[in-house]
Amino acid sequence: MLSSSKRRLLTALLQARRWPFQPSRDMRLVQFQAPHLVGPHLGLESENGGGLINLNTFDPTLPKTMTEFLEQGETTLSVARRALAAQLPVLPRAEVTFLAPVTRPDKVVCVGMNYVDHCKEQNVPVPKEPIIFSKFGSSIVGPYDEIVLPPESQEVDWEVELAVVIGKTGKHIKATDAMAHVAGFTVAHDVSARDWQMGRNGKQWLLGKTFDTFCPLGPALVTKDSVADPHNLKICCRVNGEVVQSSSTKQMVFGIEALIAWVSRLAIRRKGRRTRLEQSRHKCMHMHV
């Protein structure tokens, strides 16, 4: 937890990866800006932590936002695959500013107490059904943006998350069909003001979860075909270089397919294609990962 004696701006750097890591040509989509470019652009990481391929330079007809890119489905993804295979020049990471891989999503749906080890750590029962809450889209910032500690809170906390990006909407989705609605995965940081979450606002979680800058995302959206098993990912967090969380998505109480089926009974639009985030919540997280 971040006490009031350490009130300052904090920088988030979040990353989920296969464990052990093996270099690959996985599809790692990003949104970025650069001084020589006008507005945000779409790109591909040449490798995990590598330079960027500018997709909008490769094909100027591509959308410049991730939401529009995902809405076009296989049409745009096939262009990105060609770009990745073309061995194009890359922009050095130091010359770009990473944005959140998804901005202004239709919804940010979160799942509380969804890791067995977190429940044991908190000495609370494992939930028998998903605990759903939300964050405002305005809380989303980029992976390296500063997290502002609000003067209204004395108990800001960190939490690492696996975020599932929904690329195709549906209603009453069967668990067996759920992955057809997933565009990919990214890393989220569920920053919380615990005093507001647990002690104010009638103990409704929303206000404690949704201060500005309380949802860093990224840097990359890794497409689902690049992740062999999203339920077997190492997920960890460092604060100022110190590991404060280390776990695995194997610890999830409710798997991704079950969560999509559950939430789609209530919260996914019936028609149209919109991007949505679903966070499977772990425990406390922050800073370097």
Side-chain angles (χ1 to χ4, degrees):
M1 184 173 293
L2 304 175
S3 68
S4 59
S5 65
K6 297 182 179 179
R7 304 193 62 76
R8 51 191 169 86
L9 296 178
L10 300 172
T11 301
L13 170 58
L14 318 175
Q15 181 182 22
R17 58 191 174 114
R18 290 195 182 112
W19 197 265
F21 172 70
Q22 296 178 346
S24 69
R25 297 293 284 174
D26 291 343
M27 185 83 71
R28 301 176 59 85
L29 296 162
V30 300
Q31 291 189 130
F32 71 96
Q33 292 178 321
H36 65 286
L37 299 173
V38 178
H41 279 58
L42 284 179
L44 282 170
E45 284 189 317
S46 58
E47 59 183 355
N48 189 355
L52 301 187
I53 298 167
N54 189 336
L55 285 175
N56 297 118
T57 298
F58 178 74
D59 187 341
T61 68
L62 285 176
K64 291 188 177 181
T65 68
M66 190 71 73
T67 297
E68 294 174 308
F69 179 91
L70 296 177
E71 284 175 347
Q72 296 184 28
E74 185 56 35
T75 300
T76 47
L77 284 170
S78 63
V79 176
R81 291 190 192 98
R82 292 201 305 273
L84 191 61
Q87 301 292 320
L88 298 170
V90 299
L91 297 169
R93 294 177 74 88
E95 296 180 9
V96 305
T97 298
F98 284 87
L99 308 175
V102 177
T103 49
R104 295 188 295 276
D106 189 50
K107 297 180 179 69
V108 182
V109 181
C110 308
V111 187
M113 307 304 296
N114 195 43
Y115 283 66
V116 173
D117 55 354
H118 182 35
C119 294
K120 291 179 178 178
E121 179 186 74
Q122 298 296 317
N123 195 28
V124 297
V126 174
K128 296 187 181 302
E129 65 182 27
I131 300 171
I132 304 298
F133 65 98
S134 184
K135 284 180 176 280
F136 295 152
S138 58
S139 66
I140 293 174
V141 292
Y144 309 117
D145 290 345
E146 291 177 326
I147 296 170
V148 180
L149 301 183
E152 295 82 3
S153 175
Q154 306 301 311
E155 297 181 20
V156 176
D157 209 351
W158 55 80
E159 247 174 323
V160 63
E161 315 288 351
L162 172 68
V164 181
V165 180
I166 303 297
K168 185 175 91 172
T169 58
K171 194 72 172 177
H172 297 292
I173 299 167
K174 295 179 180 179
T176 52
D177 300 328
M179 291 305 293
H181 295 260
V182 173
F185 307 92
T186 190
V187 182
H189 181 171
D190 176 21
V191 186
S192 305
R194 297 296 188 199
D195 41 4
W196 281 80
Q197 177 189 356
M198 301 299 186
R200 302 187 63 177
N201 195 43
K203 297 187 178 180
Q204 296 287 323
W205 288 9
L206 178 64
L207 292 185
K209 292 289 189 177
T210 202
F211 281 86
D212 289 346
T213 75
F214 270 25
C215 189
L217 292 177
L221 186 161
V222 183
T223 56
K224 64 181 177 183
D225 58 341
S226 300
V227 179
D229 182 1
H231 299 100
N232 187 23
L233 296 172
K234 177 74 174 180
I235 187 165
C236 70
C237 164
R238 297 186 182 94
V239 178
N240 299 328
E242 178 186 354
V243 175
V244 294
Q245 289 181 262
S246 182
S247 187
S248 169
T249 55
K250 287 181 179 179
Q251 291 283 328
M252 284 185 183
V253 178
F254 304 100
I256 293 165
E257 295 91 341
L259 289 172
I260 291 172
W262 177 266
V263 173
S264 73
R265 297 163 59 184
L266 310 168
I268 302 181
R269 290 184 177 180
R270 188 178 301 276
K271 295 182 180 179
R273 298 174 67 93
R274 293 296 300 276
T275 302
R276 184 175 65 84
L277 294 175
E278 177 177 302
Q279 294 184 12
S280 183
R281 172 185 169 142
H282 182 36
K283 41 187 182 180
C284 298
M285 125 124 244
H286 206 265
M287 296 347 88
H288 297 319
V289 179

